[in-house]
């Protein structure tokens, strides 16, 4: 897969990774593919585990290996940290990372409750650092292409409904042991892990205007700890827009999004993880008619293909890496135009 040759800054943006979660492998792979970015440090509760993980994901021989998380965020060469820890640990390590002046890429869901979220926002605001949640599909250029289409009121009309789902079949081992089903670690269960993407899709479609009313669907399924295995919700906006989503760990794989307009629909079947890394698509359907009730609907169908030069997780990493340059410009302005050197830092 082709990537631009020019780095994002003269010196690499060095990431420190807290923990050895499986999702970290995917993100570190993305870091390797982005010029000007380096997975520089890794920390785990076990030094041996951190060292083994670093070898498995191809980190450099001189990578910094730590047997704890604190030393990663204290390392002066670390510019930003990636935190794929259980959600219950986010507030502690986001606050600590911010206090050490590190920018933060944070796995979703970002928090278990609003109080924890507010504490993290306050910490990064005070420290003057940036935080980004790791919702990868938002960085796929397909999202921008779809948003451009959505603004075509002449052909599409008003957005009426957003319908989405995310399901996968969890194994027996997954149901018994995975941290996403442990109340003290990730108490939001499927709602936080995969419902997050569905809710984000509805908010994205509504230009991030909050709904005035939210209703949880009845008959949600929980495990013995009371953690959600299957659930859904209904979101309502005052302009008539509605969002319906369902998610769960107990059904066949599905990642579908449908945007229903008054004159057209836009759909895709690989919302969070594209079927292919080098291209993806969405489908536009217009002019639905019932010429014969016994034969079903006829319409005009168009498939829009988007060629991807980077994976969506690489684009996410690159976006956060650019913050280093942006922050340097901000610091220079605040200092009356004094040059801020990036080389050698």
């Amino acid at each position: 897969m082709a990537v631009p040759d020019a780095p994002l800054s003269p010196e690499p943006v060095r990431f420190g990774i807290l923990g050895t979660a499986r999702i970290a492998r995917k993100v570190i792979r993305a870091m390797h593919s982005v010029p000007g970015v380096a997975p520089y440090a890794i920390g785990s509760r076990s030094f041996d585990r951190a060292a083994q993980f670093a070898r498995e994901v191809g980190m450099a021989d001189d990578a910094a290996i730590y047997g704890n998380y604190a030393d990663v965020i204290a390392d002066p060469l670390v510019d930003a940290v990636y935190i794929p820890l259980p959600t219950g640990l986010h507030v502690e390590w986001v606050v600590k990372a911010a206090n050490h002046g590190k920018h933060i890429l944070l796995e979703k869901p970002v928090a278990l409750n609003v109080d924890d979220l507010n504490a993290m926002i306050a910490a990064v605001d005070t420290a003057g650092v940036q935080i980004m949640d790791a919702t990868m599909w938002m960085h796929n250029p397909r999202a921008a292409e779809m948003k451009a289409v959505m603004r075509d009121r002449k052909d599409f009309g008003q957005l009426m409904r957003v319908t989405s789902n995310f399901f996968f079949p969890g194994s027996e081992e997954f149901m018994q042991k995975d941290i996403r089903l442990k109340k003290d670690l990730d108490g939001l269960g499927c709602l936080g892990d995969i419902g997050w993407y569905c809710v984000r899709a509805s908010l994205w479609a509504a230009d991030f205007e909050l709904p005035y009313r939210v209703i949880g669907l009845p008959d949600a399924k929980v495990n013995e700890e009371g953690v959600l295995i299957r659930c859904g919700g209904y979101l309502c906006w005052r302009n008539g827009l509605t969002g319906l989503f369902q998610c769960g760990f107990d059904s066949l794989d599905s990642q579908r999004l449908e945007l229903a307009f008054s004159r057209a629909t836009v759909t895709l079947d690989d919302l969070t993880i594209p079927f292919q890394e080098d291209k993806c698509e969405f489908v536009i359907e217009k002019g639905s008619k019932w010429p014969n009730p016994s034969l079903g609907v006829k319409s005009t169908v168009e498939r829009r293909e988007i060629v991807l030069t980077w994976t969506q997780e690489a684009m996410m990493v690159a976006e956060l890496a650019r913050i280093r340059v942006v922050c340097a410009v901000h610091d220079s302005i605040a200092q009356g135009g004094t040059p801020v050197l990036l080389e050698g830092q």
Side-chain angles (χ1 to χ4, degrees):
M1 182 172 294
V3 295
D5 294 328
L8 298 171
S9 65
E11 288 290 313
V13 176
R14 302 177 184 89
F15 274 85
I17 297 94
L18 304 190
T20 57
R22 185 172 65 175
I23 187 63
R25 295 175 181 271
K26 186 174 187 177
V27 175
I28 292 172
R29 174 176 174 256
M31 292 177 185
H32 283 308
S33 73
V34 178
V37 169
Y40 163 76
I42 178 74
S44 173
R45 290 171 295 177
S46 161
F47 178 88
D48 290 342
R49 174 61 185 141
Q52 178 184 349
F53 185 83
R55 290 192 296 270
E56 291 173 352
V57 298
M59 293 178 68
D61 292 340
D62 61 350
I65 312 294
Y66 297 110
N68 57 72
Y69 306 140
D71 287 344
V72 176
I73 62 175
D75 188 320
L77 293 181
V78 169
D79 302 301
V81 293
Y82 168 53
I83 304 180
L85 298 173
T87 311
L89 301 178
H90 282 185
V91 64
E92 174 187 358
W93 290 103
V94 165
V95 170
K96 288 179 177 179
N99 289 342
H100 279 79
K102 311 301 185 186
H103 302 299
I104 300 157
L105 177 60
L106 182 63
E107 267 304 328
K108 31 59 56 185
V110 297
L112 294 176
N113 54 63
V114 174
D115 288 342
D116 283 357
L117 176 62
N118 287 338
M120 290 187 281
I121 292 173
V124 298
D125 282 349
T126 299
V129 297
Q130 301 294 316
I131 186 170
M132 176 190 290
D133 71 274
T135 306
M136 299 175 187
W137 74 263
M138 292 290 297
H139 302 272
N140 189 317
R142 176 170 61 180
E145 181 76 13
M146 290 174 64
K147 183 65 77 171
V149 165
M150 293 168 62
R151 302 205 186 284
D152 183 355
R153 289 296 185 90
K154 180 180 179 181
D155 285 347
F156 287 78
Q158 181 180 353
L159 180 62
M160 309 295 291
R161 299 184 309 278
V162 181
T163 307
S164 60
N165 67 51
F166 193 163
F167 290 97
F168 68 81
S171 66
E172 182 177 348
E173 181 180 12
F174 174 90
M175 293 295 190
Q176 294 297 322
K177 298 181 179 180
D178 198 275
I179 63 169
R180 286 168 284 186
L181 288 164
K182 300 300 180 183
K183 189 172 184 178
D184 58 335
L185 295 174
D186 265 298
L188 296 176
C190 67
L191 176 60
D193 183 45
I194 53 182
W196 174 276
Y197 297 109
C198 299
V199 172
R200 174 63 71 89
S202 291
L203 293 174
W204 166 81
D207 291 329
F208 293 98
E209 177 186 343
L210 291 179
Y212 82 95
R213 183 172 62 177
V214 174
I215 304 168
L217 300 184
D219 301 319
K221 182 179 178 181
V222 299
N223 66 5
E224 61 275 8
E225 294 187 36
V227 178
L228 289 164
I229 295 174
R230 183 179 67 240
C231 69
Y234 190 63
L235 290 64
C236 305
W237 282 263
R238 294 194 181 279
N239 64 357
L241 174 64
T242 60
L244 173 66
F245 76 91
Q246 295 175 293
C247 61
F249 298 143
D250 63 348
S251 299
L252 291 177
D253 293 286
S254 179
Q255 301 176 43
R256 182 172 174 80
L257 172 65
E258 178 181 283
L259 306 170
F261 298 82
S262 54
R263 299 191 186 96
T265 60
V266 175
T267 59
L268 53 87
D269 292 316
D270 55 352
L271 171 62
T272 61
I273 306 173
F275 293 134
Q276 297 175 266
E277 288 191 332
D278 59 349
K279 62 182 178 180
C280 58
E281 69 173 21
F282 60 94
V283 177
I284 300 171
E285 187 173 357
K286 299 179 184 178
S288 297
K289 295 180 180 179
W290 290 82
N292 186 327
S294 65
L295 298 178
V297 173
K298 287 188 176 181
S299 59
T300 300
V301 177
E302 175 191 356
R303 294 184 177 275
R304 293 276 185 97
E305 183 177 285
I306 295 91
V307 176
L308 304 176
T309 55
W310 286 4
T311 63
Q312 58 186 19
E313 54 269 23
M315 288 182 269
M316 175 185 71
V317 168
E319 185 68 22
L320 184 65
R322 291 187 185 96
I323 289 174
R324 183 185 184 200
V325 178
V326 172
C327 289
V329 173
H330 179 272
D331 291 345
S332 177
I333 293 172
Q335 298 168 22
T338 300
V340 174
L341 300 180
L342 294 176
E343 293 185 358
Q345 291 187 0

